Amino acid sequence: MVYRHSAFYSPLLATIAGGFLRDEGLEPAYFLKPRERNLYEMFRQGEVDIMQAAVSTSWDPLSKGIRDIPRHFAQINQKDGFFITARGKDKPFSWKDLEGAEILADHAQQPLVMLKYALHLQGVDWSRVKAINAGDPDSMDRAFRSGQGQYIHLQGPAPQQLEADGYGTVAACVGDALPLLAFSSLMAMPSFLETSVAEAFMRAYRKALVWVNDAPAAEIAERELSMFEGVTANALTSAIARYQQLGTWRLDPVIPRQQYDVSMDAFIHAGVFDRRFPYEDVVYQA
C-alpha cells in the first residue's frame, strides 16, 4: 500500500515493473491507501504487509504513547522529490522569486513541512509566500491548468506533463534546496519482517534499487508507463532522469541516522513537534 503514486517511488515501482518480485515468486497487490481507512487498523487486520510512507509517519503515534506500530526497514528516497513548476516560458529561477508569488503548494504534512524548511534554508521569508491550498495533487494540477497560481509544487511526472502540455516550465526541485534526509521509506510490522516473504521482498528491492540507479531513464519509463494513466513516455522519462541526476535513490536501502535527524529538524522547525523521537523507536533493527 502506498500513500502516493509517483515516479519518485521508482525503487518500489520497479520491484513490480522490473519483474524483480516475480523472480522471487511473489505476486504483489499494489494500491493507494484508502482515505477513509486507518493504516494501523489495516496492518492489524492483515490487509497490508508493506507500506510506502515516511519516518515522520511514526512520530504522531509515538507522541501519543502508541508503540505497537510498523517499523521502517528500507529507505526509498534521500531527497525531496517535489518540483516547482513556473507558469510561462523558461526563465532563470531564484527561490526568492516565491516571495510575493502565488504557489499551489501541496498541503499534506510532510510536503509542506519540507517546502517550508527548504525555503528557510534558502533565506526565503515564508510569511511572504502566498501558499494556496488547492486540495489533493490532481485538484492542484487542474487548478494550475485552469490558470490559478504562478507556481505549483508537485511530484514527478505531473510537473513534466504540465511542461509537455505547455502550461509551464519545471524550474527547480525542492531536493536541490535541502540536505540529504530520510524522506520516504517502506514500513512493516516487525512480525512480518521476520518472515521468508520479507527476505524475498528485500532481495527484489535491492535489485530494483540498482536498476533504477543504473538503467537508462527511458528503459525504466518504458517498464513503468502502464502504471501512469494520462502520462506520456517522454514526461515520465524526464522525471526519472531528473530523479537520477538528483541522487534521489541510494544503492543501500539502510535509513541513515543522520538523514533521520535532518527530517526531524525540519518537523521541529515547522512546529509540528516540540521534541525528538529516538531512531530506535522508528527504524527496524534486524
Side-chain angles (χ1 to χ4, degrees):
M1 183 167 70
V2 297
Y3 263 124
R4 291 172 181 251
H5 179 64
S6 163
F8 186 45
Y9 307 111
S10 280
L12 178 59
L13 302 185
T15 63
I16 302 169
F20 300 112
L21 289 177
R22 184 181 62 247
D23 291 346
E24 293 290 342
L26 301 176
E27 281 297 327
Y30 173 89
F31 58 98
L32 283 167
K33 178 191 173 296
R35 290 185 182 181
E36 71 282 1
R37 295 296 307 279
N38 179 284
L39 70 91
Y40 303 109
E41 176 186 289
M42 295 182 73
F43 270 105
R44 284 194 296 269
Q45 295 184 1
E47 297 176 61
V48 58
D49 294 313
I50 295 170
M51 183 175 180
Q52 169 267 312
V55 291
S56 60
T57 307
S58 299
W59 296 336
D60 182 63
L62 287 175
S63 72
K64 299 171 182 174
I66 301 170
R67 304 183 65 84
D68 183 21
I69 57 176
R71 296 295 183 94
H72 297 263
F73 66 93
Q75 184 160 273
I76 304 175
N77 308 306
Q78 63 176 357
K79 285 281 192 174
D80 185 310
F82 281 77
F83 294 95
I84 304 297
T85 302
R87 189 175 299 284
K89 295 183 178 180
D90 190 15
K91 62 179 181 179
F93 173 79
S94 165
W95 293 104
K96 280 281 191 179
D97 293 343
L98 296 180
E99 291 187 351
E102 292 185 348
I103 177 171
L104 303 181
D106 191 313
H107 275 60
Q109 187 182 71
Q110 177 155 298
L112 194 63
V113 162
M114 294 301 179
L115 178 61
K116 288 180 178 180
Y117 193 52
L119 297 187
H120 164 71
L121 294 180
Q122 297 303 313
V124 176
D125 183 351
W126 177 256
S127 68
R128 297 188 60 198
V129 178
K130 300 175 182 177
I132 298 169
N133 185 355
D136 64 22
D138 288 341
S139 299
M140 291 170 62
D141 187 283
R142 289 193 295 270
F144 192 75
R145 288 172 183 268
S146 69
Q148 188 175 5
Q150 296 161 267
Y151 298 92
I152 188 169
H153 167 236
L154 290 171
Q155 289 177 324
Q160 287 75 19
Q161 192 60 55
L162 282 170
E163 184 174 82
D165 294 342
Y167 287 96
T169 303
V170 179
C173 184
V174 179
D176 287 323
L178 286 167
L180 297 177
L181 47 79
F183 196 92
S184 303
S185 48
L186 297 171
M187 66 181 188
M189 296 301 290
S191 57
F192 172 79
L193 293 172
E194 295 167 1
T195 67
S196 60
V197 174
E199 291 176 359
F201 174 85
M202 280 308 299
R203 287 194 295 270
Y205 187 68
R206 288 179 182 276
K207 292 174 185 175
L209 272 177
V210 173
W211 185 60
V212 297
N213 275 285
D214 293 350
E219 179 184 331
I220 300 168
E222 182 181 8
R223 296 281 192 93
E224 293 183 0
L225 188 59
S226 63
M227 304 177 80
F228 290 90
E229 184 178 354
V231 174
T232 65
N234 285 343
L236 185 56
T237 299
S238 178
I240 292 170
R242 184 67 181 88
Y243 285 139
Q244 288 178 324
Q245 293 160 9
L246 189 66
T248 308
W249 308 306
R250 290 164 49 88
L251 285 171
D252 184 347
V254 169
I255 302 169
R257 186 183 296 267
Q258 183 178 4
Q259 294 184 19
Y260 174 93
D261 288 340
V262 174
S263 292
M264 191 83 253
D265 292 342
F267 275 75
I268 289 175
H269 172 266
V272 179
F273 299 107
D274 60 5
R275 61 189 173 98
R276 308 185 78 87
F277 300 98
Y279 176 90
E280 291 78 9
D281 290 348
V282 176
V283 178
Y284 179 69
Q285 311 293 308

